[in-house]
């Protein structure tokens, strides 16, 4: 459903990481999300400064996705692959980001979604999970669902375009 790169580092020996070193187009703009600290570092050209490694984790895992001109999934909390493990389907259509994810019973499932300035978060629903909370921070919507059963859940996150 998308292409992205996951990069991990265990040593803070490089102050700047170049996208070209990971096989990405150097002229593109990419979102960088750090998995362990759940922080959107921002959108960058050419590369980014990863900052210090959090001593709680002893490493950093970056999910790097090409910035799209619409809301997009940056990562999930389920796995360091940032969604590759459990997202089965993903679609953007008519201001709705929808997908199907495999959920674990009673384990909160969080989607971090980049929300460009021209969009506004409206709502989030799921057919097999309850919406637990929504937080809007760092140009992202952080949406958490909880399911009491094992299996797939369809979810829909609706946005409004501010520039209509």
């Amino acid at each position: 459903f998308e292409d992205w790169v996951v990069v991990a580092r265990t040593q803070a020996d490089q102050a700047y990481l170049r996208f070209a070193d990971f096989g990405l187009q150097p002229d593109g703009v990419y979102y960088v999300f750090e998995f362990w600290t759940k922080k959107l570092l921002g959108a960058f050209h050419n590369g980014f400064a990863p900052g210090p490694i959090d001593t709680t984790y002893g490493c950093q895992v970056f999910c790097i996705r090409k910035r799209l001109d619409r809301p997009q999934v940056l990562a999930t909390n389920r796995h360091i692959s940032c969604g590759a493990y459990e997202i089965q389907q993903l679609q953007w259509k008519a201001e709705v980001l929808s997908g199907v994810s495999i959920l674990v019973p009673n384990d909160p499932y969080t989607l971090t979604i980049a929300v460009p300035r021209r969009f506004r978060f409206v709502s989030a629903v799921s057919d097999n999970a309850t919406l637990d909370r929504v937080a809007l921070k760092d140009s992202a919507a952080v949406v958490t669902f909880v399911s009491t059963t094992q299996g797939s859940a369809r979810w829909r996150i609706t946005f409004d375009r501010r520039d209509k």
Side-chain angles (χ1 to χ4, degrees):
F1 46 82
E2 280 186 14
D3 293 319
W4 66 92
V5 172
V6 176
V7 175
R9 76 182 198 141
T10 57
Q11 295 180 11
D13 55 349
Q14 289 182 292
Y16 190 79
L17 302 178
R18 294 173 355 123
F19 294 136
D21 292 341
F22 309 126
L24 299 171
Q25 297 175 357
D27 58 343
V29 178
Y30 296 90
Y31 283 118
V32 178
F33 180 85
E34 203 289 311
F35 178 82
W36 295 114
T37 58
K38 309 297 185 235
K39 288 184 184 171
L40 171 58
L41 301 184
F44 304 95
H45 298 270
N46 300 319
F48 67 102
I53 294 174
D54 188 313
T55 56
T56 304
Y57 306 104
C59 70
Q60 291 172 311
V61 175
F62 302 105
C63 181
I64 304 170
R65 295 182 189 255
K66 187 166 188 155
R67 184 177 69 183
L68 303 176
D69 193 28
R70 60 161 176 82
Q72 69 188 94
V73 172
L74 294 175
T76 70
N77 67 326
R78 180 71 66 232
H79 191 267
I80 63 170
S81 66
C82 298
Y85 181 73
E86 78 285 351
I87 295 178
Q88 297 176 314
Q89 294 176 16
L90 188 62
Q91 180 180 8
W92 171 257
K93 186 176 180 181
E95 277 72 51
V96 175
L97 184 63
S98 61
V100 176
S101 297
I102 301 169
L103 303 187
V104 175
N106 303 311
D107 187 26
Y109 179 66
T110 300
L111 294 149
T112 300
I113 299 158
V115 183
R117 292 180 200 262
R118 65 188 197 116
F119 288 90
R120 181 181 66 84
F121 172 86
V122 174
S123 65
V125 296
S126 175
D127 69 347
N128 193 28
T130 302
L131 179 63
D132 184 52
R133 66 186 168 273
V134 175
L136 304 175
K137 64 179 187 177
D138 301 329
S139 302
V142 181
V143 180
T144 302
F145 295 103
V146 177
S147 178
T148 58
T149 61
Q150 173 79 28
S152 296
R154 293 186 183 285
W155 48 265
R156 292 175 43 94
I157 302 171
T158 304
F159 297 88
D160 235 358
R161 283 181 62 153
R162 297 174 191 237
D163 60 350
K164 284 185 182 178

